[in-house]
Amino acid sequence: MNQPSSKEVDIVVIGGGQSGLALGYFLRRTGRSFVILDAGAQPGGAWNQGWDSLRLFSPAEASSLPGWPMPQPSGTYDTGEFPSRQQVVDYLAAYEARYKLPIERPVRVERVRATQNGYEIETDRGTWQTKAVVSTTGTATHPFVPPYPGLTDYTGLQLHSARYRSPDGLAGQRVLIVGGGNSGAQILAEVSRVAQTVWVTLTEPMFLPDAVDGRVLFSRATERYKTLQTGEIPTPAGNLGDIVMVPSVREARSRGVLHAVRPFVGFTQTSVQWADGRSEAFDTIIWCTGFRPATDYLRPLGIVDADGRIATEGTRATQLQGLWLVGYGAWTGFASATLIGVGRSARATADEINTYLQQLTPAFTAHN
Ligand SMILES: Cc1cc2nc3c(=O)[nH]c(=O)nc-3n(C[C@H](O)[C@H](O)[C@H](O)COP(=O)(O)OP(=O)(O)OC[C@H]3O[C@@H](n4cnc5c(N)ncnc54)[C@H](O)[C@@H]3O)c2cc1C
């Protein structure tokens, strides 16, 4: 790709997954110049990874980005009620083409530095100068594995859920699955059909009632959010992080394998050591232990904490002007890490950026 060494735009959005696209949808309307830089080789962001059987928690009509509803599955898709991840990838690809979003791909942002007039964005394909930056890089490229004594000595196979595709190759093995969220439950459900599994969770897993899918969960959480806005204490409802009883997890429950134990204390070459002193050998460990924000390229700004977070008010960074973070979950906006939820954060952010650029005096001052 031939790029001039430096380009200038009003706004640089870093990351072209669902959050970057939702933001692009609203930025188009401002008439400002902007670019979306995405390291991915193809559209779809995190939906290009994940296991083969992964499906959305919500039907298509409850899983849409702003402006254009996700089409109902038809034709070559298998037409289950909940869209497959390939359907989401195709939807996101069609969405960015439909709105002619200015995406440069693959472009990996390596460093962001504050300058007198805004920011300099250093990438593997040249440099961009800009007045405003929005980070929408998600978490999927930063899998997290908790540190345990002896883990580096363990010689069995270790796999994070980010890289897990299917139970193929695990038949007959002893497999340890670590993590009490939806990834852990869904991967346990299918691996336990071919392998001997032990499921480890920090606390007893929380299962939602069978009838609660992503759509119900989102509307309950929205009610709770609205109640909180009024200053009242909401009645407890399903948590967005609790385990959704998708068909495979219900089936695992019927086989009696949906039981979890509390964590081990360390590892040897072949085994985990339990708190009661026993050790137990496993061929493979699958870490379903989550992710951290992919914000390393913002570290030169000196405001990123050890977990990759930045202090924000809404989506706006509080320690530097002209920087926003969208789509990372509750700390950057209610339900912002979901397809249906990110639109609200994206709209508010685009409005804020537009106001910010209108008010910007020629002498930009960073104050960290
Ligand atoms: C098991 C599981 C099930 C889920 N189910 C649902 C569901 O049913 N419904 C729902 O709405 N959500 C669901 N989610 C959440 C959803 O997948 C993610 O929250 C979502 O993909 C986040 O979108 P994003 O655009 O913020 O980040 P991503 O999709 O991760 O996109 C970020 C983009 O930024 C790029 N990038 C990263 N670093 C750089 C860099 N340095 N320079 C340039 N580009 C960079 C990446 O390549 C990527 O393309 C689920 C997630 C998981 C793990």
Side-chain angles (χ1 to χ4, degrees):
M1 194 204 281
N2 279 332
Q3 296 273 356
S5 59
S6 182
K7 294 181 175 186
E8 202 171 327
V9 285
D10 288 337
I11 306 145
V12 170
V13 178
I14 305 171
Q18 63 195 39
S19 304
L21 304 195
L23 193 72
Y25 174 85
F26 290 111
L27 287 180
R28 276 170 67 243
R29 298 169 159 194
T30 66
R32 303 275 177 192
S33 61
F34 72 100
V35 67
I36 301 174
L37 305 178
D38 187 36
Q42 60 180 66
W47 293 101
N48 287 294
Q49 64 186 53
W51 46 100
D52 296 343
S53 63
L54 180 62
R55 286 182 169 278
L56 285 178
F57 295 132
S58 309
E61 68 271 15
S63 308
S64 298
L65 290 181
W68 183 47
M70 185 186 291
Q72 292 295 334
S74 63
T76 52
Y77 295 120
D78 87 63
T79 51
E81 191 190 356
F82 301 104
S84 65
R85 73 183 173 86
Q86 186 55 49
Q87 194 188 334
V88 184
V89 170
D90 293 349
Y91 167 62
L92 296 180
Y95 186 95
E96 61 181 55
R98 181 186 180 97
Y99 294 111
K100 299 186 176 58
L101 295 177
I103 302 181
E104 304 263 354
R105 186 186 280 128
V107 178
R108 175 167 300 282
V109 173
E110 286 164 350
R111 267 170 296 278
V112 173
R113 297 183 207 281
T115 64
Q116 245 196 335
N117 301 314
Y119 292 95
E120 183 174 83
I121 316 294
E122 235 180 274
T123 80
D124 58 356
R125 308 277 174 161
T127 304
W128 271 260
Q129 308 291 334
T130 188
K131 301 185 189 87
V133 176
V134 192
S135 180
T136 66
T137 46
T139 60
T141 53
H142 267 212
F144 172 74
V145 173
Y148 273 102
L151 183 55
T152 50
D153 300 333
Y154 178 75
T155 54
L157 180 68
Q158 291 186 60
L159 201 59
H160 192 278
S161 62
R163 299 231 174 281
Y164 170 85
R165 289 286 176 273
S166 78
D168 292 355
L170 299 174
Q173 289 196 6
R174 290 187 53 77
V175 180
L176 183 70
I177 293 163
V178 188
N182 282 292
S183 313
Q186 288 188 26
I187 291 174
L188 169 82
E190 60 182 33
V191 172
S192 62
R193 294 175 67 87
V194 303
Q196 257 187 292
T197 49
V198 173
W199 188 24
V200 169
T201 63
L202 282 177
T203 55
E204 211 34 42
M206 302 293 288
F207 300 103
L208 288 162
D210 286 7
V212 174
D213 65 13
R215 170 184 37 192
V216 179
L217 203 53
F218 185 78
S219 62
R220 279 190 193 173
T222 302
E223 283 309 308
R224 193 164 33 160
Y225 173 77
K226 286 183 185 157
T227 309
L228 277 169
Q229 302 295 94
T230 65
E232 288 175 34
I233 308 290
T235 48
N239 188 314
L240 277 171
D242 291 350
I243 293 168
V244 181
M245 299 307 287
V246 298
S248 63
V249 177
R250 292 205 296 269
E251 188 275 336
R253 181 182 59 195
S254 71
R255 275 187 288 120
V257 295
L258 214 52
H259 297 296
V261 296
R262 302 295 80 77
F264 35 81
V265 291
F267 287 83
T268 65
Q269 272 196 334
T270 56
S271 308
V272 297
Q273 293 177 307
W274 298 106
D276 63 7
R278 281 180 308 120
S279 35
E280 190 171 356
F282 288 96
D283 304 299
T284 298
I285 302 168
I286 305 179
W287 297 100
C288 306
T289 38
F291 299 86
R292 295 290 181 263
T295 51
D296 281 349
Y297 56 91
L298 293 173
R299 290 201 182 274
L301 299 175
I303 57 170
V304 182
D305 77 12
D307 281 338
R309 290 193 182 200
I310 287 174
T312 50
E313 202 174 295
T315 60
R316 187 176 54 79
T318 52
Q319 292 165 277
L320 271 183
Q321 289 184 37
L323 173 64
W324 284 262
L325 293 100
V326 173
Y328 294 91
W331 63 282
T332 56
F334 169 72
S336 65
T338 64
L339 281 157
I340 195 168
V342 72
R344 184 189 334 232
S345 293
R347 178 198 291 266
T349 304
D351 287 349
E352 269 186 35
I353 293 172
N354 200 29
T355 307
Y356 170 75
L357 292 176
Q358 277 162 3
Q359 292 167 352
L360 201 58
T361 54
F364 175 94
T365 42
H367 56 81
N368 68 328

